[in-house]
Amino acid sequence: FGRAFSAAAAAGMMSTTAPPYRAPSTRKTRPLAPPPLLLLLIALVAFAEAQPNLDEAQKILEDGVRYGAFPGAVAVVANETHIHFSDSFGRYTNDGEDPPLNNGSNPLVDIHETIFDLASLTKIVATTTSIALLWQEKFLGLDTPVVDVLGQQYGVHGKENITIKNLLTHTAGYPPDPIPNYWSPDFSPNTCTGNPLTHADHFECSGAAFESLLNQTLDTQPGSKYVYSDLSFLTLGYIIGSIAPKALETISWNAKCNATRELSKRMSRGAILNCNFEAFVRARITGPLSAEVGADDGGFQIGFLPPDEERHRAAPTAVPRLEKIGKHVLQGIVNDGNSYALGGIAGHAGVFSCASALVIFARGWMFGHKPLNLNAETRKLFTTVAAPSFSTRALGWNTNGDAFDQGWDHACGTLSKSTFMHIGYTGTQLCCDPSLGIFTILLTNRVYPTDENHLIDGVQRNFTTAVRKAFDSESAASRSESPNKTGRVRVGLEILRDRSFSDLEGNVAVLTNPSGVFPDGLEHIVDVLHGETNDKFRVVGILAPEHGFRGDHQAEHGDRAHYIDNKTGLDVYSIYRQDPSEISEILKELDVRTVLVDIQDVGVRLYTFVWTFYDLLLAIASMDSEINVVVSDRPNPLGGIVTEGPGLNTSCCASRYGKMNIPFRHGLTIGELARLFAAELKTGNENLRVVAMEGYTRGMDWRATALPWIPPSPNLPTAESIIPYLAVVLLEATNAWEGRGTTTPFQAFGAPFLEGNALDVFSGVLNKSPYTCPQRSNTTRCFRESFYNPTFFKYNGTIVPGVQWVRPNQNVSEPAFPAAIQVIKAFQGSTTALEFDGSWFGEPGSRLFDLYSGGPLLRKLLSASPRISVENTMKHFSKSTQDFVEKRNAYLLY
């Protein structure tokens, strides 16, 4: 960037001097009241934590003015609660000409006062956010065909199969722009005389433009290729305008739309849809954002069509093609020609904003803050790459990866690839980096005095790279690592409580067990809800999984079929091993309107809780009545990075230990599994709501979450039991002993037939293997020989030789299933007495092992002669695991 400027200056291509910038302003500015809760730009206060050093980022923007990348700019770097950097740079113009609306002066750009033409940031601020809200509120689906909204007249020239998702991802098959452009003199239908730009003030051309869109031809087959196209978002604007009357209690048009209605005997459909679109955006997005900024005098903060009395606050832009009609320099009038021809309202361009409103907007998308009211599921869905084979695009947003189109490639510099972002033609940019927990805003008017200046590209990349560099320091990183003010992960229950349980309605049944507690006060969710005074919902029943509602039953035992809970007086129904039809009868009997699911899973496929939940979803899907499912998410104690082990062969081995083909270790939270189940069962997400956690990341082990461990089942007493459980649980399906009946199940295991030398060989194999003892050295071992007398279940009352796993590997970022293979191979290498036998669980012979492992493949590999190594055994599962990893990406929340 610096070299490019220096070379340009040396060649005489630009002046190396510039108008003054960042000097104190002496002009009177309209005061803005500080936002009451968010401590925005105009109310910055010192805070206790150290600030990152953003001097380099500031210098890049100062140089941007000095070397002519733009006349003026404002920039913000912030996280959920703090503004790390905010400043303004330069003046409204840099060519010696005063802006037309500023009374012969050239104002300094002001961080609070100046508004900018956002250009294509309109696509995310107005259009994508509107579609996200309509999707969240079930007014449309991503697979909804456009013809279902705009009518069959749209479905010509191959457009009948275009969906909402195609439009959001720019895969509809449209060319980049209308042909001819609506602003072009070549666009001269009978309903629009002369140059359409002369008619923009009252939408006379909107009808003709809409008719042109209905008859638009395609360049490619829908869904076959990515082409960035304003036509996609023009179409989305009309879709929002079509649905707005259903989604809003009342439609309140702006003054310009009302004036057009008064002047016209009959408004065109295109004009009506445009006005409805603006009304929805103002009611649900820009109006609430303006109110949150807190302008006491009602001054313009964000939206379409800045009022005439506020247009002087707009940073000027220039449009050379407008010179013939005397509007070369624009202030408060949209720069984009097609939006201009449509009267300044369009789905692809037209929104103006100050920086303060975008801070609130970014926090709404990143952290779920009001007033956008976007839930975690919606935010994750719309900000995750949607069609990776085509582009880095998410839904409406782009991401900061290796882009397929010029100008977008790493447009947010070295911010992470998970950064969701967008840029605008006028020199605007918004980058939201979830991994750092920060966002950057850069607003400029780089298209003044000409749009042929592209130095902004280097400024944007260098600015965000400098921000990343500042936050990569150790002190800055420590600021981002603390999940939230509690210093720990906040589970879905806490978010529900924050929202006063507003997700619940009508008669509520709760699927839960002892793990369903609030981490702070350790109260159980059923006890809290039962004591809640609320006229919107009431808890009418409890649905119990394996081990029972209160956790007082051992493995393979559900609760009593039906009884009254002593503490709450509520009906408790065991649904473990119940057919979905039987579960649906329970729900009908209770007249359930909402099912709340809050239960701790452990991340291993054969753990039965998630399959009880799966049967519950099947039951709900089979019912005529509409039942909402609310899932309170909790961490996966095995983390979310590693996925491993055999999948499930559903043709032979679907059972209570697994009903869908997922790996032995799936790497999903129960909320993410809920999204997967809903998609695979084709029940849809319309009635499913996952209440996501705050502060959780996929690489966390249980200690990193700082949450208390509440045993989800009797034989997992500590969080340290989970990795040993994964490695040892297959012994349940053999005649070996897995440690039940001791205080350390799965960390103690053995068999009565490990006698004499066999025990030495067994423990020796385990201590030497890198899979069961990665910490091994000449002096360090992981297992010690021991003898046990189980107090119940398998080998109760029998002395069992075995080992104590003293040092199990607790790194959740490393594979653990090889240890499961190694444990069985250690038995096989020390004795011939090991048998695949599930008699203790009511499944004699090898059947239980096949159900646990997902099919006969692993058993056959373990039984092969000669023996197959652990590495070669694992290779048999790598393809299915990789296939699942690619599938699961669509359902990740973190």
Side-chain angles (χ1 to χ4, degrees), residues 606-618:
L606 60 82
Y607 205 64
T608 63
F609 293 168
V610 298
W611 304 114
T612 299
F613 173 40
Y614 180 94
D615 285 338
L616 175 61
L617 288 177
L618 276 176

Side-chain angles (χ1 to χ4, degrees), residues 783-806:
F783 297 84
R784 74 175 187 93
E785 296 178 6
S786 188
F787 294 83
Y788 300 92
N789 186 353
T791 59
F792 64 89
F793 206 58
K794 193 186 288 189
Y795 300 123
N796 177 19
T798 301
I799 300 299
V800 180
V803 293
Q804 178 190 1
W805 199 347
V806 179

Side-chain angles (χ1 to χ4, degrees), residues 198-260:
T198 63
H199 298 268
D201 289 345
H202 294 296
F203 305 111
E204 280 92 340
C205 293
S206 293
F210 181 64
E211 291 299 318
S212 175
L213 181 76
L214 293 177
N215 291 289
Q216 177 68 49
T217 58
L218 302 181
D219 282 356
T220 59
Q221 180 99 9
S224 66
K225 185 179 180 181
Y226 163 77
V227 175
Y228 182 75
S229 175
D230 284 351
L231 280 164
S232 287
F233 277 75
L234 278 161
T235 307
L236 286 168
Y238 290 126
I239 288 170
I240 296 161
S242 297
I243 299 174
K246 303 174 189 174
L248 298 176
E249 291 184 4
T250 58
I251 291 282
S252 175
W253 280 8
N254 62 38
K256 190 169 183 178
C257 288
N258 284 324
T260 303

Side-chain angles (χ1 to χ4, degrees), residues 768-780:
K768 292 176 184 176
S769 170
Y771 304 114
T772 48
C773 190
Q775 312 96 315
R776 71 194 187 287
S777 69
N778 290 335
T779 57
T780 300

Side-chain angles (χ1 to χ4, degrees), residues 22 271 420 567 703 721:
R22 301 186 70 250
F420 54 97
K567 184 172 183 180
R703 288 171 298 179
S721 310

